[in-house]
Amino acid sequence: MEELVKQNPLASERVGRLIAKFAVPAIISMLVSSLYNIVDQIFIGQGVGMLGNAATNIAFPVSIICTATALLLGIGSASNYNLESGAGNPERAARIAGTGLSLLAVSGVLIAGVVLIFLYPLLHLFGVTPDVLPYALDYTGITAFGIPFLVLTTGGNHLIRADRSPTYSMTCMLTGAIINTILDPLFIFGFHWGIKGAAWATIIGQIISGIMVIIYFMKIRHMELTASMMRPKGIYLKAIMSLGMAACINQIAMAAVQIVMNNTLRHYGASSIYGTDIPLACVGIISKVNMVFMAICIGISQGCQPIWGFNYGAGNFGRVKETYKKAAVISLAVGIIFFSAFQIFPRQIVSIFGSGSEEYFHFAERYFRIFMLMTFINGLQPMSSGFFTSIGKAKLGIVVSLTRQVIFLLPLIVLFPLFMGIDGVMYAGPIADAAAAAVAIAYAYRELKKFGHCPSQDNMLE
């Protein structure tokens, strides 16, 4: 068994090559996932207008909740799978994967049912205005039918990557996004379905991606996975939740922040020159643009997850340390690029999503430049949280995942507007980002220091 562990590419291939092999498909998968929302936003902005963009922002917490559930089960299963595989326990690893897959299918159906049954009160909870409500009802009511496939695809792709098939994982997401992109203009402009067309295009793409995930685990997988392994067991669920909770809590926190922010913008926007609908539309656009940046950073973390988990389980701490350092450098480089774009081209970026009044663009430009001021270091917090989860430090991963959204941002977007009005929301962002990055760096430094001067296998080969 020890010889099999040593022969695994995760233990022997060069770290830089492994990061490229696993992180690039993971980044593309995450980008594709965010494209579902961005493509809808662009075509809705062009074909429906500002109220359509505001409607997708109101519906966004549903998407976040689905992602939170998928990451809880997907990352939790994948992290345990790699740790157990690295420790030489392939059967236990496969049983954990089976439990995760079964629960992904069940939870997706349950979430869809709750959204459809409580659609009207949920939209009011999310901060909908009377003018936006008809659009939000149409969009959310239709996309709810795609939730089971969205959850299965998002969570299942983590297990596919853990099963050493990052390219197939990327293909699943890419196929659905391409279908969505083709159908969006056809349904919105060709069939004149408006926002309903965007919703139908989205769920058709999600269904195709979900079917591809099902095909993988039925026909293509590397792991041994029998029908008996698909029966959920409490002992495996506990292990899954312990390592998936950090990513889940981070997403739930994002949903909470989004809900509080929507209601804050609605309240303070009413007494500003912008009104209620302009802030909701602008923040919805900017949140989804920021998703592109975060998708890359999270993709780096997810691509490194099999490398961290397997080598930590196998005791190759030098490779774990080197992988983290290289991933941190890449995240910082990406952050600097996006920071520059957000500061220099905010108006041009917002213009992609449709036209608006001068007040609309003025608010969007200010929000981009102020709220996104610390973009250059924002990738370190989600990457570090993923790192702690991958090496089995579940509690530390949860703490780091909570820092930006819950511990810092949520209180600030409630307190600052009391003194600064709607501008308080903007200034809360960079302060929360800086504080969260400082905490992540401090904890990562402490953990990496425990590895001492363990040489990586790459250095020993040179």
Side-chain angles (χ1 to χ4, degrees):
M1 190 63 69
E2 184 177 347
E3 188 62 32
L4 289 174
V5 170
K6 290 180 179 179
Q7 291 175 1
N8 193 301
L10 292 171
S12 58
E13 198 168 328
R14 289 186 177 277
V15 167
R17 190 177 301 166
L18 278 174
I19 292 176
K21 180 180 178 180
F22 282 87
V24 170
I27 290 168
I28 293 173
S29 295
M30 289 299 299
L31 284 173
V32 168
S33 179
S34 65
L35 279 175
Y36 275 117
N37 292 303
I38 290 176
V39 168
D40 280 350
Q41 198 89 52
I42 291 173
F43 285 118
I44 289 170
Q46 299 290 342
V48 181
M50 184 183 72
L51 293 178
N53 277 332
T56 61
N57 184 33
I58 293 299
F60 195 45
V62 174
S63 177
I64 296 175
I65 291 167
C66 293
T67 303
T69 305
L71 295 184
L72 171 67
L73 300 171
I75 289 182
S77 301
S79 298
N80 277 284
Y81 179 84
N82 286 125
L83 285 169
E84 295 293 343
S85 297
N89 303 316
E91 183 178 346
R92 179 177 169 84
R95 289 187 180 278
I96 290 173
T99 293
L101 286 169
S102 298
L103 293 175
L104 282 168
V106 172
S107 60
V109 174
L110 290 176
I111 295 172
V114 170
V115 171
L116 289 169
I117 293 170
F118 300 104
L119 180 58
Y120 194 84
L122 281 173
L123 293 178
H124 279 84
L125 174 66
F126 297 160
V128 73
T129 65
D131 290 338
V132 176
L133 180 59
Y135 298 94
L137 283 170
D138 286 341
Y139 186 79
T140 313
I142 294 171
T143 54
F145 289 98
I147 286 175
F149 298 94
L150 171 62
V151 172
L152 180 62
T153 301
T154 305
N157 272 296
H158 289 279
L159 276 166
I160 292 174
R161 277 194 297 273
D163 197 37
R164 293 176 290 141
S165 298
T167 303
Y168 189 93
S169 171
M170 174 188 70
T171 304
C172 289
M173 301 299 296
L174 192 58
T175 301
I178 291 172
I179 292 171
N180 182 37
T181 303
I182 293 171
L183 294 181
D184 256 330
L186 176 64
F187 290 172
I188 295 173
F189 303 110
F191 294 174
H192 304 289
W193 289 354
I195 200 165
K196 292 181 180 179
W200 281 113
T202 296
I203 67 170
I204 291 172
Q206 290 169 347
I207 289 170
I208 298 300
S209 293
I211 291 172
M212 292 180 67
V213 170
I214 294 170
I215 291 172
Y216 178 86
F217 287 105
M218 290 180 66
K219 303 288 185 182
I220 306 172
R221 67 183 186 273
H222 299 295
M223 67 176 72
E224 283 292 329
L225 196 62
T226 63
S228 64
M229 292 178 176
M230 297 292 290
R231 297 193 192 103
K233 291 190 176 181
I235 187 172
Y236 301 137
L237 175 59
K238 183 178 179 181
I240 289 169
M241 292 185 69
S242 68
L243 295 188
M245 191 59 71
C248 175
I249 289 175
N250 190 48
Q251 291 292 318
I252 293 295
M254 284 177 60
V257 168
Q258 189 75 35
I259 293 167
V260 172
M261 186 175 290
N262 285 347
N263 284 283
T264 302
L265 292 170
R266 182 176 63 177
H267 177 76
Y268 290 97
S271 58
S272 72
I273 61 172
Y274 305 110
T276 57
D277 293 327
I278 284 176
L280 284 174
C282 289
V283 172
I285 289 170
I286 294 166
S287 294
K288 292 183 176 62
V289 172
N290 187 50
M291 280 177 60
V292 176
F293 164 66
M294 295 306 293
I296 295 174
C297 295
I298 294 172
I300 294 168
S301 176
Q302 291 178 356
C304 293
Q305 180 266 323
I307 310 171
W308 286 326
F310 187 92
N311 284 286
Y312 190 87
N316 297 329
F317 301 125
R319 288 173 67 80
V320 176
K321 189 173 183 178
E322 183 181 359
T323 303
Y324 180 88
K325 288 181 177 180
K326 289 185 175 180
V329 170
I330 297 169
S331 294
L332 284 170
V334 172
I336 291 170
I337 293 170
F338 275 85
F339 167 80
S340 302
F342 291 164
Q343 295 299 314
I344 299 171
F345 306 112
R347 191 182 187 99
Q348 291 86 339
I349 294 172
V350 175
S351 297
I352 297 172
F353 298 87
S355 59
S357 63
E358 188 57 36
E359 288 82 6
Y360 171 82
F361 283 107
H362 182 257
F363 182 87
E365 288 179 38
R366 292 189 68 231
Y367 194 91
F368 247 128
R369 291 193 170 115
I370 298 172
F371 193 85
M372 310 302 294
L373 185 63
M374 301 302 294
T375 297
F376 58 93
I377 59 170
N378 277 358
L380 294 178
Q381 183 250 354
M383 191 201 72
S384 297
S385 178
F387 166 68
F388 298 133
T389 299
S390 298
I391 63 173
K393 306 281 185 177
K395 291 182 180 179
L396 193 52
I398 291 172
V399 170
V400 173
S401 71
L402 286 173
T403 51
R404 182 183 185 269
Q405 301 289 342
V406 175
I407 297 174
F408 299 124
L409 184 57
L410 194 56
L412 292 178
I413 61 175
V414 173
L415 293 174
F416 277 18
L418 295 174
F419 309 101
M420 305 171 66
I422 200 167
D423 284 359
V425 175
M426 302 185 197
Y427 287 98
I431 296 173
D433 291 340
V439 172
I441 292 169
Y443 277 125
Y445 176 79
R446 189 189 72 176
E447 288 301 312
L448 293 174
K449 196 174 181 181
K450 293 178 182 178
F451 296 157
H453 298 286
C454 302
S456 75
Q457 193 161 344
D458 286 10
N459 293 332
M460 288 188 290
L461 290 171
E462 291 175 356

